[in-house]
Amino acid sequence: MARLVILIFLITTSIMPWTQAQSNDQVTWANRVESGKEVITTLQFYFHDILSGRNPSAIRIAQPSQTNNSPTLFGMLMMIDDPLTVGPDPSSKIIGRARGMYGSAGQTDFGLIMVLNYGFTDEIYDGSSFSLLSINPALQPVREMSIVGGTGLFRLARGYAIAQTYKFDATTGDAIVGYNVTIVTYI
């Protein structure tokens, strides 16, 4: 666990503050525009990955014995059920949950394979979700990842998510990550 915390700390030492951070819940987190036969939806929200405390939202579920000798924690696998919020404050309005897993997939560089479903519970997006399947080059200040499908208003979704670490606690491993997402669907 200490090695994971150190790696995550290294990630954040090169990360700039997220300049598009929302400071309160008054800002709309989603925008939906019809364009011909397509709908373009943009979302802005925060992902709270909590490894510490009595009720963590992310837990390690597997790792081979070689993981402890790997500088990239190759083979480590985490299962998550992370809250998604309007603002970076953990007490801001919850608009959904990210559920799935991520794991260290690089032997020579630190990259997390992300297999996650982002399900929403707010307003017209209640019951809709999108799926993200991509490598997260976590040492990069800004990361782009693929959206490969969805349900509800995001049925047949394609698009991308831009992630940027907003806050990281090197002691606990807890992180808050800001997301800007663009999704294209059909009318």
Side-chain angles (χ1 to χ4, degrees):
M1 184 64 171
R3 186 176 274 157
L4 176 62
V5 171
I6 291 168
L7 271 174
I8 295 174
F9 173 74
L10 291 173
I11 292 167
T12 61
T13 59
S14 65
I15 296 176
M16 303 176 302
W18 196 29
T19 57
Q20 297 175 352
Q22 297 175 356
S23 61
N24 61 51
D25 292 353
Q26 302 304 314
V27 178
T28 302
W29 64 274
N31 186 37
R32 186 174 165 85
V33 176
E34 292 185 13
S35 173
K37 294 183 179 182
E38 296 179 328
V39 176
I40 300 169
T41 305
T42 55
L43 310 172
Q44 184 176 0
F45 56 85
Y46 293 82
F47 171 102
H48 298 262
D49 199 41
I50 308 303
L51 284 66
S52 67
R54 294 182 329 164
N55 191 26
S57 65
I59 59 170
R60 190 180 298 201
I61 59 170
Q63 74 177 39
S65 59
Q66 298 90 335
T67 295
N68 291 332
N69 298 324
S70 169
T72 63
L73 295 174
F74 179 68
M76 176 269 311
L77 186 61
M78 304 287 287
M79 184 68 65
I80 73 161
D81 182 3
D82 288 350
L84 305 175
T85 62
V86 171
D89 186 325
S91 65
S92 66
K93 181 180 179 181
I94 293 176
I95 57 170
R97 302 197 75 83
R99 293 181 171 146
M101 58 187 134
Y102 62 82
S104 181
Q107 292 188 44
T108 59
D109 60 328
F110 190 67
L112 300 173
I113 182 69
M114 309 287 283
V115 183
L116 300 175
N117 179 274
Y118 293 75
F120 296 94
T121 56
D122 193 46
E123 299 182 22
I124 68 167
Y125 299 99
D126 186 15
S128 297
S129 68
F130 68 82
S131 296
L132 184 141
L133 174 61
S134 201
I135 291 288
N136 178 356
L139 294 177
Q140 300 298 314
V142 178
R143 290 93 67 193
E144 182 175 332
M145 295 172 278
S146 305
I147 294 172
V148 296
T151 65
L153 290 176
F154 303 132
R155 187 176 293 130
L156 298 175
R158 63 191 190 283
Y160 62 94
I162 302 292
Q164 190 168 9
T165 301
Y166 177 80
K167 181 179 179 185
F168 174 71
D169 184 325
T171 304
T172 64
D174 296 349
I176 300 171
V177 179
Y179 275 81
N180 280 314
V181 177
T182 300
I183 297 173
V184 178
T185 54
Y186 299 101
I187 294 180

